[in-house]
């Protein structure tokens, strides 16, 4: 039987979340010690555990049909792969940082400077696009210590909370790109694998929509229902149920998590009370 081969990071920041996503998609994996590969017990997929640096090459060659990794790694490796889905976890940014006491005068600051990074291709592209002539020093890890030990004037690295920069006496001065985990695919994927991928993408979208949306229930005076429905259009339209108390109803809808705090004040000003916001497990549009 045909199987869909999925490459995930063996160990690191992406591995737990990648496996968690597959689990939420209903894919059961045997408890293993993450050897090189494992097979799901209830869906025709095979998981290959790899270093994230190797995933673009495996997917370009079709050794894996799809792979989960950081978008930054996809851009750096620059292989011929399709970008299929953004997955919403492992969000970070790739930024240029300099010693905190240096005066930053704008991007031309980097002319004739030496910059340490593990992402030389991406940085070179950024400098070409911005007409900057700088020297790029490629190093494998612990990039943030490079200025302190005199190896470079500045660094280009992944930033998440910013605490690593702070601890190393650096400040972020240019954000070059944002990144998150993405699903990439083999461009010449075979028909049976393509069908399995379609089924998996459907499940991933149901899980992602559920993350991004909340179920909202509230009590409102009937006179405010029209205004509240405008604010909370829901999936098709909100559900309205009468309350025992005359002139009041209960309104149920779906709201994007990131819009919730923007509309809450307005809901209250329309007279909404007893607002409940509840997580959704799966959401099929
Ligand atoms: O062994 P393998 O090659 O598979 O893994 P790896 O060491 O190359 O990668 P890993 O597991 O460290 O990261 C995998 C991916 O996670 C990256 O390619 C990014 O897409 C994503 N990601 C998200 C991060 C971070 N956030 C992150 N904060 N990757 C690394 N960091 C590091 C960063 O390098 C810096 O040292 O965390 C530090 C900065 O964090 P803050 O919070 O102090 O700003
Ligand atoms: Zn890596």
């Amino acid at each position: 039987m045909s199987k869909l081969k999925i490459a995930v990071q063996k160990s690191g920041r992406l591995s737990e979340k990648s496996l968690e996503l597959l689990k939420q998609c209903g894919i059961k994996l045997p408890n293993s010690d993450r050897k090189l590969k494992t097979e799901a017990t209830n869906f025709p997929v095979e998981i290959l555990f790899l270093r994230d640096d190797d995933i673009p090459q495996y997917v370009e060659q079709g050794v894996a049909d799809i792979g989960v990794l950081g978008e930054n790694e996809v851009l750096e490796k620059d292989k011929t792969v399709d970008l299929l889905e953004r997955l919403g976890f492992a969000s970070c940014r790739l930024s240029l940082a300099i010693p905190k006491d240096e005066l930053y005068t704008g991007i031309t600051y980097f002319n004739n400077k030496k910059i340490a990074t593990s992402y030389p291709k991406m940085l070179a592209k950024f400098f070409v696009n911005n007409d900057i002539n700088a020297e790029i020093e490629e190093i494998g890890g612990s990039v943030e210590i490079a200025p302190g030990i005199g190896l470079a004037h500045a660094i280009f690295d992944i930033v998440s909370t910013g605490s690593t920069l702070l601890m190393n006496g650096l400040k972020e001065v240019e954000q070059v790109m944002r990144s998150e985990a993405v699903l990439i695919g083999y461009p010449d994927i075979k028909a049976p694998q393509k069908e399995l991928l379609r089924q998996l993408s459907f499940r991933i979208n149901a899980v992602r929509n559920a993350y991004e949306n909340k179920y909202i229930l509230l009590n409102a005076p009937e006179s405010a229902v029209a205004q509240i429905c405008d604010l909370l259009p829901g999936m098709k339209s909100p559900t309205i149920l009468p309350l025992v108390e005359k002139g009041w109803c209960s309104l149920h809808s779906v709201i994007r998590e990131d819009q919730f705090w923007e509309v809450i004040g307005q809901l209250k000003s329309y007279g909404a009370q007893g607002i409940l916001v509840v997580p959704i497990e799966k959401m099929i549009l």
Side-chain angles (χ1 to χ4, degrees), residues 30-218:
N31 287 332
S32 76
D33 51 0
R34 280 190 218 163
K35 299 161 288 212
L36 177 62
K37 57 184 183 179
T38 188
E39 279 181 27
T41 53
N42 63 344
F43 194 82
V45 297
E46 186 170 276
I47 314 295
L48 308 180
F49 295 105
L50 302 169
R51 281 201 61 190
D52 65 352
D53 310 54
D54 297 332
I55 294 177
Q57 188 180 342
Y58 277 63
V59 172
E60 180 184 53
Q61 294 173 359
V63 177
D65 299 299
I66 57 174
V68 177
L69 76 166
E71 194 180 1
N72 52 302
E73 209 61 62
V74 180
L75 292 178
E76 181 62 26
K77 294 295 180 285
D78 200 20
K79 301 286 182 195
T80 308
V81 295
D82 292 338
L83 189 100
L84 304 174
E85 309 273 356
R86 310 184 78 78
L87 300 174
F89 61 87
S91 299
C92 56
R93 50 197 192 271
L94 276 94
S95 296
L96 281 156
I98 64 172
K100 70 174 188 325
D101 297 332
E102 285 276 307
L103 178 67
Y104 186 62
T105 47
I107 196 157
T108 52
Y109 173 91
F110 294 102
N111 270 323
N112 306 315
K113 296 276 195 316
K114 197 181 198 185
I115 295 97
T117 186
S118 308
Y119 298 96
K121 276 197 193 163
M122 242 189 289
L123 182 59
K125 219 177 251 176
F126 177 75
F127 281 153
V128 167
N129 290 341
N130 287 281
D131 243 346
I132 300 296
N133 183 16
E135 189 184 338
I136 298 175
E137 180 78 29
E138 180 175 355
I139 51 175
S142 303
V143 171
E144 61 281 353
I145 65 169
I149 58 173
L151 181 69
H153 299 105
I155 67 163
F156 173 62
D157 199 11
I158 294 174
V159 184
S160 172
T161 60
S163 66
T164 304
L165 293 184
L166 203 67
M167 275 186 322
N168 287 280
L170 300 168
K171 61 180 176 189
E172 186 177 3
V173 291
E174 292 287 340
Q175 185 180 306
V176 173
M177 74 164 290
R178 299 204 130 269
S179 174
E180 65 185 272
V182 293
L183 187 71
I184 56 168
Y186 174 42
D188 294 325
I189 190 165
K190 303 276 174 303
Q193 278 75 15
K194 200 169 182 170
E195 171 52 25
L196 292 170
L197 172 59
R198 194 193 57 74
Q199 292 174 26
L200 180 64
S201 291
F202 176 84
R203 295 184 187 195
I204 290 175
N205 280 309
V207 171
R208 294 268 292 125
N209 286 332
Y211 271 145
E212 287 167 8
N213 290 278
K214 297 278 181 243
Y215 192 68
I216 181 166
L217 306 88
L218 55 85

